[in-house]
Amino acid sequence: MRLICYTLHDQKPLIRPAPVERDWMDHSPEAFAYRCLPLDIANAHGWEVLCSAGFDATWDGGTAADAITIAADAPPHLLPVSHFGSGVLTFHLHGLFRTEPAVQLWVAGSPNRIKDGIQPLAAVVETDWAPYTFTMNWRFTRPGRVRFEQGEPFCFFFPLRLDLIEQVHPVFMPIEQDAATAAAYRAWVAARNGFNAALQEEGSAARAEKWQKGYFRGRMPDGAAGGAGHRTRLRLASFQDASGAGGGPDAPDQADEPGRGTAGG
């Protein structure tokens, strides 16, 4: 699948494959937050656009566009603007994105990247046909000042297909109607309860193991292999010049075992 960013100016948008790492996860005790594989995969499931310059933005609580002021020693074209009012800060991406037919872009803030005082707004853009740029918008959650540093991500995107979600037929079903799934679930509950109880015992195997790794390793409760598509990491390609030879992802390899700054969970 091809994803194009048509550059509109001499300076390209600063785009990178999204990393797994988050500061708050690094600082969790023993970096335990990285043991949550679903969270790790979400962190890395797309590309981030980075701020070209650092700046301070302050909202006085008003609804007019001039209720937000931006302070920075940088050219205006590198900075966001207050365009919509109502405490909304608007970033221009300086690129026009094009996806393949029937493929759109989910555009939002980076998953699990927390910023006090301001919230990224999510959008779905029909980049398979529209010759229009889009903006990334954040809304202040209260009056005050926020700081974005140079190199800090302000936008996160990945491709999706709207026709797929419209084909979904969601249903409720008693788990007893699926005997295999019910049995596996009961085995997992028993193992989970036993493991948590053993964590309270000095010198137990559970304490040595620290946490159950079945999901991370893609194993069923009985140790059998789980889904064939189980992933512990993602390898996204970096944006390359169309005239170049291309290439694979340039992000550092992420270990298959959990730990600080790796795709563990």
Side-chain angles (χ1 to χ4, degrees), residues 246-260:
D250 61 1
D253 286 350
Q254 297 162 355
D256 285 336
E257 289 297 327
R260 181 181 179 87

Side-chain angles (χ1 to χ4, degrees), residues 75-109:
H77 71 278
L78 298 181
L79 302 173
V81 298
S82 179
H83 177 75
F84 298 104
S86 298
V88 175
L89 184 66
T90 297
F91 291 80
H92 294 280
L93 275 70
H94 302 295
L96 191 153
F97 288 83
R98 176 68 78 245
T99 47
E100 294 185 358
V103 178
Q104 296 78 33
L105 282 187
W106 174 276
V107 182

Side-chain angles (χ1 to χ4, degrees), residues 55-59 68-70 80-81 86-91 109-110 113-121 136-148 152-154:
F55 64 91
D56 294 292
T58 303
W59 182 44
I68 295 177
T69 57
I70 298 168
V81 298
S86 298
V88 175
L89 184 66
T90 297
F91 291 80
S110 297
R113 193 181 292 279
I114 302 162
K115 196 167 187 68
D116 185 43
I118 197 166
Q119 170 73 29
L121 305 181
M136 176 63 205
N137 296 284
W138 293 63
R139 190 182 188 280
F140 281 84
T141 58
R142 62 177 181 272
R145 181 179 66 86
V146 297
R147 171 78 184 172
F148 283 80
E152 179 177 346
F154 68 86

Side-chain angles (χ1 to χ4, degrees), residues 109-226:
S110 297
N112 306 308
R113 193 181 292 279
I114 302 162
K115 196 167 187 68
D116 185 43
I118 197 166
Q119 170 73 29
L121 305 181
V124 175
V125 185
E126 295 182 9
T127 46
D128 55 335
W129 68 269
Y132 317 126
T133 60
F134 59 85
T135 59
M136 176 63 205
N137 296 284
W138 293 63
R139 190 182 188 280
F140 281 84
T141 58
R142 62 177 181 272
R145 181 179 66 86
V146 297
R147 171 78 184 172
F148 283 80
E149 300 293 346
Q150 184 178 18
E152 179 177 346
F154 68 86
C155 180
F156 174 93
F157 60 86
F158 63 85
L160 79 164
R161 295 187 58 153
L162 296 180
D163 58 339
L164 291 181
I165 198 167
E166 291 182 326
Q167 294 173 30
V168 173
H169 299 283
V171 299
F172 290 110
M173 180 184 297
I175 196 170
E176 291 77 13
Q177 292 187 19
D178 186 334
T181 297
Y185 168 73
R186 287 192 293 268
W188 172 77
V189 170
R192 183 72 166 178
N193 290 340
F195 186 89
N196 287 340
L199 284 175
Q200 310 307 314
E201 302 172 7
E202 191 70 35
S204 67
R207 281 204 174 183
E209 190 176 0
K210 296 184 179 181
W211 56 285
Q212 290 178 295
K213 303 177 178 65
Y215 181 89
F216 179 87
R217 292 172 174 164
R219 296 294 175 180
M220 298 291 286
D222 63 0

